[in-house]
Amino acid sequence: MTKTTPTVLVTRRLPSAVLDQLAQSCAVDLHAGTDDLPHDALCARVHGKDGLICMFNDRIDASVMDAGDSLRVIATVAVGFDNIDVEAATARGIVVTNTPDILTGATAELTWALILSVTRRVGEADRAVRSGAWAGWTFDFMLGSELRGKQLGIVGAGRIGRAVGAVASAFGMRTVFAAKPGVTGNAPSDEEVVSLDELLLTSDVVSLHLPLNPSTRHLINRRTLARMKRSACLINTSRGPVVDEEALAWALDERLIAGAGLDVFEDEPHVHPSLLTRENVCLTPHIGSATRETRGAMAGLAVRNVVDVLGGRGALTPVNG
Ligand code: GLV
């Protein structure tokens, strides 16, 4: 490689075909461990790099950008970019990119997996069989609740929220959307839009599809949880801090809601201890986009963005213009 070959730090192992593609035009410094790259190590390794490919859980603040004073592009392998100080990047002329669209289907699928797991008690039933607690078929063992005729309330009518809503009619559900300030996307049609308050009061399943920002942090709190039907469940496949986990544990303890399906948490990988012990809560480890197809496509798009920017072309999916 010549001296002018751009260098790129990659904070997590990506599929080898994608890394090979990056290596065709860039020198790659790969953090190959399965652990997070600690912030000070990230700052040390980003020094002198032209590009950075990071994950949603790498904190990319101004100190990383100051350490990486040659950076021209930061590409996150995620749709959410709340971990990146985009304003600081813009001020330094650094292009920030994300991976929208390609993970919509996978995340919508996982959302439905959680909805069905909670309403039909799939996790609890699996545990009962494995532990020997199933003594034989009885008429009223593990009764769940049915989706047909119920209302799905989607908070956040962006791509993923709409993809989740598109499936609801197949289960005989009606769908309402609550669009909030600071939330991207518009609801598909006016008659399906209700206030957040009305959505919480009337929905049987409330599903969150919001970016994390100051206006959505702890949007679901003691007050909003108390608005929900006692028979309703809460699903979150967006960002953990949209839900005040302490308040959720309280609402479940007080039986203010019937259950929850959570793929994301306030302080990953830590989960509120009371949620861990509850049978009416289904927990998955932030796997919304975790299909072979989608993760490969996300990595490919991040690499494409880096190669394009470092090659003097525009990024395909920039978040800062
Ligand atoms: C994952 O959480 C993402 O934002 O893509």
Side-chain angles (χ1 to χ4, degrees):
M1 294 227 171
T2 66
K3 270 180 98 180
T4 56
T5 303
T7 55
V8 178
L9 174 64
V10 182
T11 66
R12 216 61 60 97
R13 182 171 286 289
L14 300 177
S16 49
V18 174
L19 286 174
D20 289 349
Q21 204 182 327
L22 182 63
Q24 283 176 17
S25 56
C26 301
V28 180
D29 176 11
L30 171 69
H31 171 62
T34 50
D35 55 329
D36 294 352
L37 194 54
H39 195 256
D40 49 351
L42 175 60
C43 287
R45 271 172 83 167
V46 81
H47 181 70
K49 301 295 188 317
D50 301 285
L52 169 63
I53 296 182
C54 62
M55 307 298 136
F56 79 92
N57 52 356
D58 294 315
R59 180 164 50 87
I60 311 298
D61 54 18
S63 66
V64 174
M65 299 174 206
D66 289 340
D69 55 0
S70 309
L71 278 176
R72 283 186 278 151
V73 57
I74 297 170
T76 185
V77 190
V79 64
F81 48 87
D82 49 277
N83 58 316
I84 302 174
D85 186 339
V86 177
E87 211 175 297
T90 307
R92 289 162 177 76
I94 303 170
V95 178
V96 178
T97 69
N98 69 342
T99 60
D101 295 329
I102 47 188
L103 46 62
T104 297
T107 309
E109 282 182 7
L110 186 83
T111 303
W112 279 102
L114 287 174
I115 293 172
L116 291 162
S117 295
V118 174
T119 56
R120 297 303 303 272
R121 305 171 65 174
V122 176
E124 186 184 354
D126 178 83
R127 285 187 291 277
V129 174
R130 287 171 199 271
S131 69
W134 184 39
W137 191 90
T138 53
F139 193 71
D140 55 359
F141 185 54
M142 283 277 163
L143 298 183
S145 60
E146 209 155 310
L147 296 179
R148 182 158 299 279
K150 303 278 174 58
Q151 179 172 299
L152 171 64
I154 295 184
V155 186
R159 299 177 197 90
I160 298 172
R162 275 180 280 180
V164 171
V167 178
S169 63
F171 286 106
M173 298 185 84
R174 67 183 168 278
T175 305
V176 296
F177 290 85
K180 282 264 309 157
V183 174
T184 53
N186 296 311
S189 68
D190 284 348
E191 58 277 14
E192 293 168 323
V193 182
V194 296
S195 67
L196 176 64
D197 218 39
E198 187 181 340
L199 180 147
L200 295 170
L201 282 168
T202 57
S203 295
D204 301 288
V205 177
V206 174
S207 193
L208 306 176
H209 302 285
L210 299 159
L212 177 62
N213 58 42
S215 76
T216 61
R217 182 177 294 273
H218 284 192
L219 181 75
I220 301 301
N221 51 40
R222 282 189 179 222
R223 190 189 63 77
T224 45
L225 285 160
R227 307 297 280 166
M228 288 176 64
K229 290 166 101 167
R230 283 185 183 266
S231 56
C233 64
L234 177 74
I235 307 295
N236 189 11
T237 57
S238 61
R239 282 289 182 268
V242 173
V243 176
D244 176 348
E245 246 169 58
E246 184 74 49
L248 176 59
W250 164 81
L252 288 160
D253 284 345
E254 297 294 321
R255 297 179 193 275
L256 296 181
I257 66 170
L262 306 172
D263 185 49
V264 288
F265 304 90
E266 275 204 86
D267 181 26
E268 296 175 9
H270 305 291
V271 178
H272 191 289
S274 138
L275 299 177
L276 292 172
T277 62
R278 302 205 65 98
E279 287 289 10
N280 56 347
V281 175
C282 184
L283 307 167
T284 52
H286 203 140
I287 54 170
S289 65
T291 65
R292 278 181 208 90
E293 298 88 338
T294 290
R295 285 282 165 85
M298 290 166 72
L301 178 55
V303 162
R304 167 96 192 266
N305 277 320
V306 165
V307 169
D308 280 357
V309 173
L310 297 182
R313 298 173 292 278
L316 215 55
T317 50
V319 301
N320 60 348

